[in-house]
Amino acid sequence: MLAFGTRPEAIKMCPLVRELKSRPYEFEVVVCATGQHREMLDQVLSTFGVVPDHDLHVMKAGQTLFDITSDVLLKIKGVLEEERPDAVLVHGDTTTSFAAALAAFYLHIPVGHVEAGLRTRNLASPWPEEFNRQAVDVVSRWYFAPTETSRQNLLDEAKPARRVFVTGNTGIDALRHTVREDYTHPELDWASDSRLILITAHRRENLGVPMHRMFRAIRRVMEERPDTKAIYPIHMNPQVRRAAHEELDGFDRLRIIDPLEVVDFHNFMARSYIILTDSGGIQEEAPSLGKPVLVMRDTTERPEGVAAGTLRLVGTEEGSIYREFSRLLDDPAEYEAMSHASNPYGDGRASARIAGILIQEMRY
Ligand code: UD1
Ligand code: UDP
């Protein structure tokens, strides 16, 4: 059983669902969507043509961590008891993943953690994700680490080396098929006379004051540079939307649009000049595309992208974002240095590797 519930989990688990389903003599695949996200999850499921066997429908407006954790835990219990899977696969660091892994643990069902071993070692950042991924790793039997660094993080915590596998990140599997030379979109046509800035933001620890500071800095920099236009496919969280509209409305070179389907978003990334984000997944995708990313966070669990030169941590202070964003726009050498494509998160074959490992490991 694969259990997931948010947009990024779906983007990284659907390639694995498809891979496992392509081997019907080896796997019987059950998909349990928790519905922690609704519209943003459904968008991805329809893109990949994945229809969940179970949907827990947990999302509600203004949901708290208590709501998500308790709803997933209580609702997935019946599904696990009905299906009795031989293994439950969860992904990354969301509250869906934590609660689903905990439920499997309570029922003595082995857990496989896809995208295991990412760490900041700071429970406050990202919050609550650093706790979630460490907790999932406590109860996991198999660890599918995307990189050698994440493998080492797990070994440093005395996880058994024979259960830790470096597979690459399944998110890169999708990227191989989405970006196209001949892709067009009306919003890209609008921005084609300018340097395109792509923006996303949603982290819980950035809600409120930090998010206002981020938006103010972006607007100030862009107001001073008339050759820039920005597209901001905004997260559906009403708190994010409120802050963005308060700070960014009335500036006609910045367009706030609804979340893009993943195929569109990848092509927008490929056409952008600079990406500003607090997202995790975008930090993994951007190095393959050679797109400079200013990461509006104080920590990152993706040091490989920083080492590759594509990512720069700029914090959430208005001054630091203003300074680093201006510098990257004004200094061609700086821009050039951050624009080289590299592949620290794998070759796009992570799902096939995970399938192969599961066949070996689950043999009776
Ligand atoms: C969640 C994950 C985070 C991940 C992010 C990806 C947790 C605690 N957080 O954060 O790790 O990086 O997803 O985007 O697991 N909403 C909708 N429709 C949707 C999705 C969200 O209306 O399709 C609104 C709802 O009002 C919801 C709110 O957004 O209450 C927040 O969603 P939630 O999943 O709680 O938090 P995210 O910030 O999305
Ligand atoms: N993404 C998307 N549409 C958008 C914005 C992002 O499909 O409008 C994709 C992006 O390519 C990446 C993932 O969503 O694969 C990142 O999701 P998000 O930032 O919500 O979560 P995080 O990765 O921070 O957990």
Side-chain angles (χ1 to χ4, degrees), residues 96-240:
T96 277
S97 304
F98 163 61
L102 184 62
F105 170 71
Y106 283 164
L107 292 171
H108 302 286
I109 301 168
V111 174
H113 190 189
V114 181
E115 198 180 280
L118 278 65
R119 294 289 184 269
T120 63
R121 310 249 182 244
N122 176 352
L123 288 179
S125 175
W127 180 88
E129 288 83 0
E130 181 66 14
F131 164 78
N132 287 340
R133 57 188 166 222
Q134 290 197 27
V136 172
D137 284 334
V138 169
V139 300
S140 290
R141 174 170 307 177
W142 301 290
Y143 303 90
F144 302 109
T147 67
E148 196 51 53
T149 305
S150 39
R151 175 176 173 271
Q152 194 55 52
N153 287 336
L154 292 160
L155 300 185
D156 291 347
E157 293 170 12
K159 304 291 190 268
R162 68 182 184 287
R163 304 257 198 229
V164 180
F165 307 92
V166 177
T167 59
N169 195 307
T170 55
I172 305 300
D173 298 13
L175 203 56
R176 288 200 307 161
H177 307 287
T178 47
V179 177
R180 292 198 320 260
E181 280 290 315
D182 59 352
Y183 177 85
T184 59
H185 192 286
E187 298 293 352
L188 291 181
D189 293 342
W190 166 75
S192 62
D193 59 354
S194 302
R195 292 190 282 178
L196 172 61
I197 312 303
L198 190 61
I199 304 166
T200 81
H202 71 81
R203 298 238 82 79
R204 262 184 163 71
E205 68 271 22
N206 289 341
L207 294 174
V209 174
M211 208 163 270
H212 281 269
R213 293 195 302 242
M214 285 157 43
F215 295 146
R216 274 204 294 275
I218 293 169
R219 181 169 182 158
R220 275 175 56 206
V221 171
M222 289 188 58
E223 279 176 341
E224 291 166 5
R225 288 165 188 78
D227 69 331
T228 56
K229 281 185 178 168
I231 298 177
Y232 177 5
I234 197 166
H235 193 286
M236 299 205 65
N237 188 337
Q239 282 181 270
V240 174

Side-chain angles (χ1 to χ4, degrees), residues 7-8 11 200 202-203 233 235 259-262 265-266 269 279-282 285:
R7 169 173 67 188
I11 290 171
T200 81
H202 71 81
R203 298 238 82 79
H235 193 286
L260 288 165
E261 289 191 14
V262 63
F265 190 78
H266 285 171
M269 286 180 77
S279 158
I282 293 169
E285 293 161 348

Side-chain angles (χ1 to χ4, degrees), residues 291-293 303-312 334 337-340 342:
K291 294 297 171 181
V293 181
E304 302 88 349
V306 177
T310 319
L311 312 181
R312 177 165 303 149
E334 182 74 20
M338 287 183 74
S339 305
H340 291 291
S342 67

Side-chain angles (χ1 to χ4, degrees), residues 5-9 36-42 59-65 68 93-97 127-129 132 202-204 207 235-238 240 279-280:
T6 67
R7 169 173 67 188
E9 294 166 82
Q36 176 177 337
H37 283 175
R38 190 68 280 158
E39 300 86 343
M40 288 163 58
L41 171 70
D42 293 345
M59 196 195 88
K60 54 188 178 216
Q63 63 197 4
T64 66
L65 299 175
I68 308 167
D93 56 20
T94 67
T95 296
T96 277
S97 304
W127 180 88
E129 288 83 0
N132 287 340
H202 71 81
R203 298 238 82 79
R204 262 184 163 71
L207 294 174
H235 193 286
M236 299 205 65
N237 188 337
V240 174
S279 158

